[in-house]
Amino acid sequence: MSDPVDPVASAYLNSAVALAVENVARGGGPFGAVVVTAEGRIYGGTNRVTADNDPTAHAEVVAIRRACAELGTFDLTGSTLYASCEPCPLCVAASLWARVDAIVFAADRHDADRAGFDDTRFHEHFDGVAPAIPITAGSADDPLAPFAAWAEHPGRIDY
Ligand SMILES: [Zn+2]
C-alpha cells in the first residue's frame, strides 16, 4: 500500500502537525507546514487566514514565504514541503512557483472535509490534472490531532 515509513519524513511531518496544534491554541486554523531545504534548514508556517484576513495565508504558503524571505531567494529548489494536511491547489501551485521538489502530507483532503473545510470541493476543480511534483502521504504519529484540537476549541473562527 505505502512505502516503508521514512523516519526523517515522519519527524518533519510531526513538526508540521505540532505547529498546527499550537496554532489552534492561538485561535488560528488547524494547519501547519515546514519547508526543509536541501541543506537541512527548516522554516515553519501556520495558517493565518483569520489572523490576517488573508484567504491565501495557508500554512504552506506562509512557510514558503518565510523560507524565501529568510534565505533571500524566490527559488527553493531542492526543498521538500511537509504539511500537516494534504495541500490544496493554491498550495500546490505556490510550491511549483517556489520550485519545491516534493510535498509530503499527514492528514488528507477527506480528513479536512470532515473537519469542516472545503478542500475536497477545491480539489475536484482540478481533478484529472497530473501533479508536476511528487505529492505523497507520509506517516505522522497523530495526523488528526490538529482537527481534534480545532473541534474542541471554543473560540475558533470557522472559515
Ligand atoms: Zn492551501
Side-chain angles (χ1 to χ4, degrees), residues 58 60 87-88 90-91:
H58 290 190
E60 300 91 324
C88 75
L90 164 72
C91 294

Side-chain angles (χ1 to χ4, degrees), residues 15 28 30 36 61 66 80 99 154:
S15 296
V36 181
V61 173
R66 184 167 163 228
T80 300
R99 313 304 182 205

Side-chain angles (χ1 to χ4, degrees), residues 77-158:
T77 296
S79 299
T80 300
L81 175 67
Y82 296 90
S84 67
C85 187
E86 185 175 357
C88 75
L90 164 72
C91 294
V92 173
S95 299
L96 294 175
W97 278 112
R99 313 304 182 205
V100 165
D101 277 20
I103 301 172
V104 184
F105 60 88
D108 68 18
R109 64 181 73 176
H110 305 294
D111 298 322
D113 244 34
R114 281 189 286 273
F117 294 90
D118 288 329
D119 289 51
T120 298
R121 187 161 62 90
F122 295 156
H123 278 289
E124 283 169 354
H125 186 75
F126 293 93
D127 265 359
V129 178
I133 54 175
I135 303 172
T136 54
S139 178
D141 290 343
D142 191 357
L144 300 181
F147 296 135
W150 175 253
E152 292 163 5
H153 195 277
R156 73 169 185 267
I157 301 169
D158 290 319

